[in-house]
Amino acid sequence: MEVLGLLYEGKAKKVFETDDKEVYLVEYKDDATAFNGEKKGKINHKGVINNKISSFLFQKLTKEGIDNHFISQLSDNQMLVKAVKIIPLEVVVRNVVAGSLVKRLGKEEGTVLKTPIIEFCYKNDALGDPMVNHYHIKALEIANEDEIDFIEKEVLRINDVVKKIFLDCQLDLIDLKVEFGRNSESKIILADEISPDTCRLWDHATNEKMDKDRFRRDLGKVEEAYQTVLARLEKVLQ
Ligand code: TMP
């Protein structure tokens, strides 16, 4: 396989085309941003850690029948993925109140939700990723009603599988953000990454934050938390 040009560079990853038009190479970076890029920094070894965590989770999801873009882990910080066109939606599932929901609903951080909440944000940095509903998504022709239905069902299944894996690691999945893409046959599959950058994970025994909130809120020991998540996953998934 030959790696061709850079297709896209995001805040945490680079995507390259390859000589197979159905395959992209994703390279995970150590760069970290928060608050729509206002806060910038680096988390040492994050590229390697998140590539490994995402690879584990995507493989596990495949086994559970959840189609996703993962093909193989190519190197410590690179994976090969199926080429998809990303649907410009950040799909969030929440199990416990945290982050932006604290202010929006006036609930205390840590309040367990009776049922999961699904939220959609329109992926657009210039607009600050505004929250949107089914009507916006259809009017903007981002997805049709059947596709939204599929995404909602799929994201709840993803939440169930990922929640269980992390619980085996003594971590509570507080919330997660995923993205979907369309392949060459217009089939919608899970894409992007699943890592402590895109999930909130709290230690089951102590409620200590083990995710990017440590960077967002300057809590210290950021790399250590990411390393711990990887080490616990390696232990249960080997
Ligand atoms: P929020 O509480 O800040 O809205 O975040 C909800 C979830 O989405 C949380 O797991 C962090 C994740 N997330 C991202 O992956 N990227 C983002 O840009 C934001 C704002 C949140």
Side-chain angles (χ1 to χ4, degrees), residues 156-174:
L156 291 176
R157 292 210 302 148
I158 294 163
N159 180 52
D160 282 346
V161 172
V162 174
K163 194 162 75 172
K164 194 170 168 303
I165 295 169
F166 279 129
L167 197 53
D168 289 341
C169 303
Q170 298 298 304
L171 293 165
D172 289 329
L173 179 66
I174 304 304

Side-chain angles (χ1 to χ4, degrees), residues 11 35-36 90-94 98-102 104 119 121 129 131 174-179 192 196-200 212-213 216:
K11 287 176 248 174
F35 315 120
N36 203 18
E90 301 206 332
V91 187
V92 173
V93 186
R94 300 178 184 273
S100 62
L101 199 65
V102 172
R104 195 147 18 91
E119 294 168 355
C121 293
D129 299 338
M131 191 180 285
I174 304 304
D175 53 37
L176 89 166
K177 184 273 297 179
V178 291
E179 295 177 24
D192 194 50
D197 270 12
T198 61
C199 296
R200 285 197 173 91
K212 196 175 163 188
D213 271 351
R216 295 187 187 101

Side-chain angles (χ1 to χ4, degrees), residues 191-209:
D192 194 50
E193 67 176 289
I194 305 179
S195 72
D197 270 12
T198 61
C199 296
R200 285 197 173 91
L201 299 164
W202 294 358
D203 182 86
H204 185 66
T206 65
N207 277 346
E208 193 182 352
K209 296 183 198 311

